[in-house]
Amino acid sequence: MTQHTFTPDSKLPALGTTIFSQMSALAQEYQAINLSQGFPDFDGPEYLQQQLAWHVSQGANQYAPMTGVQPLREAIAEKTQRCYGYTPDVNTDITVTAGATEALFAAITALVRPGDEVICFDPSYDSYAPAVALSGGVLKRIALQPPAFRPDWQAFSELLSDKTRLVILNTPHNPTATVWQAADFDALWQAIGQQETYVLSDEVYEHICFAEGGHFSILQHPQLRERGIAVSSFGKTYHMTGWKVGYCVAPAAISAEIRKVHQYLTFAVNTPAQLALADMLRKEPEHYLDLPAFYRQRRDFLINALQESRFRVLPCEGTYFLLLDYSAISDLDDVSFCQWLTKEVGVAAIPLSVFCDGEFPHKLIRLCFAKQEPTLQAAAERLCRI
Ligand code: PMP
Ligand code: GLN
């Protein structure tokens, strides 16, 4: 009998496996110290783990409500009030998602129609573009220039059109470690205020911010939050990226559309983890206040340990990523350099060009410093030898 196999005409022909999976696999193959994919090599709060086990033992093992369990949505509303002086409606404005990744995908899918234009700032997180493409949208990319990586509002207004349905921003920013100020949000509002353009604000590193003015959320901007979706991730805040629980906050009418996608993408997020997170938020509502000092110490440790190296370290105002310029060391393009670094030096990093479409004319790599000091020390020693 003839076997009929098909190769589907790809909806995402240019896309391969993500750089994070690729570099983590390469790091494992070559036994390199993995500072590529962003995840901590230490555990989150013990209480959170205990509560997860407890809720499982108490039978919280069936579907959660589609929008998230009530105590977690309540705790998120309280947290949002405490941090940003704004209380979203517990029932209509908060949706718990399978990590920030799902919130981003659901929001983009819900808002972007075929032919709509979407503006993002490059380098940009790798999940935005495929979601826009699958929705039939057209992505317009604005290149941020090192070392400051500030948005260029002139370039923005040139890209803006009456077809611009969505703007995607990310602060604190992965991978450039820069932070938007209130003035940036004002500039965005000035540009889009007169038209129906929505704003997706990826704020997963909201609590890992070292900038003097702190993190500014879209939820603090009275006009933009009326058309904004703020996305957050418990994975970053509680050092457990593998739990994949995040959420988005948006006005009721926008949330309603996001929920239409969410209910058929995942329907609901795992119940015991949501209940454990609700307990954690209630028991230690101010946990996040320790995060800047906690991560600043790791950032400064790594910067200090790299002092004798030939890398040039770029400023880092937020996230747990540090950018290094390697132009004094090698002429290789950044992807080749990261492969060489993993195989020959034993340190895995992320090339920045993968966050841009095509050419990225700078010699920059990203290191993750959410690691214990001995890990950072060992990596820095290797990096200082080249
Ligand atoms: N946005 C950015 C900027 C990220 O760095 C990440 C993950 N590192 C995500 C979204 C996805 O978060 P999650 O793991 O909660 O899906
Ligand atoms: N967001 C993480 C990073 O930037 C990786 C997440 C993933 O592997 N998809 O490294």
Side-chain angles (χ1 to χ4, degrees), residues 18-314:
T18 79
I19 190 69
F20 308 116
S21 309
Q22 280 183 43
M23 291 312 299
S24 278
L26 200 66
Q28 198 157 17
E29 185 184 342
Y30 285 86
Q31 296 292 298
I33 300 170
N34 189 2
L35 303 190
S36 63
Q37 191 178 26
F39 63 89
D41 71 347
F42 41 84
D43 254 341
E46 218 170 284
Y47 177 73
L48 197 50
Q49 298 176 12
Q50 282 166 11
Q51 291 310 101
L52 178 70
W54 189 79
H55 286 293
V56 169
S57 77
Q58 295 304 298
N61 299 309
Q62 307 308 330
Y63 293 127
M66 183 269 278
T67 58
V69 299
Q70 182 84 8
L72 183 56
R73 282 182 287 109
E74 282 170 4
I76 291 169
E78 282 162 27
K79 178 218 132 165
T80 306
Q81 169 57 39
R82 217 170 30 249
C83 293
Y84 307 127
Y86 166 68
T87 310
D89 186 283
V90 170
N91 294 315
T92 59
D93 298 1
I94 299 167
T95 309
V96 179
T97 56
T101 307
E102 197 225 341
L104 293 165
F105 191 88
I108 292 168
T109 310
L111 290 172
V112 177
R113 304 157 303 185
D116 280 345
E117 293 178 0
V118 178
I119 297 180
C120 78
F121 300 88
D122 272 4
S124 57
Y125 188 59
D126 69 337
S127 81
Y128 310 150
V132 173
L134 287 172
S135 301
V138 179
L139 193 60
K140 305 270 177 177
R141 297 164 173 270
I142 295 183
L144 301 171
Q145 299 301 331
F149 297 104
R150 304 305 310 164
D152 175 346
W153 293 109
Q154 183 57 37
F156 182 88
S157 60
E158 282 160 21
L159 274 193
L160 191 69
S161 82
D162 56 6
K163 288 196 194 147
T164 309
R165 175 75 160 173
L166 184 67
V167 176
I168 307 177
L169 66 97
N170 169 214
T171 182
H173 187 254
N174 175 12
T176 70
T178 55
V179 166
W180 275 33
Q181 306 298 339
D184 296 308
F185 285 90
D186 287 338
L188 177 59
W189 170 248
Q190 287 304 321
I192 66 168
Q194 298 306 315
Q195 62 184 72
E196 190 185 343
T197 296
Y198 298 89
V199 182
L200 181 55
S201 188
D202 180 347
E203 302 182 17
V204 299
Y205 301 101
E206 62 188 320
H207 302 308
I208 308 177
C209 185
F210 322 114
E212 217 166 276
H215 168 65
F216 188 90
S217 170
I218 192 168
L219 299 174
Q220 288 167 280
H221 197 284
Q223 290 88 20
L224 283 176
R225 74 173 169 236
E226 291 301 318
R227 54 172 76 196
I229 304 110
V231 171
S232 187
S233 170
F234 291 113
K236 317 291 173 198
T237 303
Y238 294 121
H239 319 306
M240 17 65 75
T241 59
W243 282 32
K244 294 297 295 185
V245 185
Y247 64 90
C248 59
V249 176
I254 300 177
S255 289
E257 293 307 310
I258 294 174
R259 288 169 175 189
K260 288 180 189 171
V261 179
H262 165 71
Q263 71 181 349
Y264 293 118
L265 194 52
T266 55
F267 179 68
V269 175
N270 89 74
T271 311
Q274 289 194 61
L275 292 169
L277 283 161
D279 293 345
M280 182 72 209
L281 278 162
R282 209 167 298 116
K283 176 164 181 281
E284 238 184 282
E286 309 235 301
H287 158 91
Y288 67 90
L289 291 178
D290 297 334
L291 287 185
F294 179 84
Y295 276 116
R296 188 186 288 114
Q297 192 185 338
R298 278 164 179 73
R299 178 197 70 176
D300 293 347
F301 182 88
L302 181 59
I303 293 175
N304 202 39
L306 287 171
Q307 246 171 16
E308 302 300 314
S309 83
R310 292 195 292 152
F311 288 99
R312 190 168 57 82
V313 176
L314 272 69

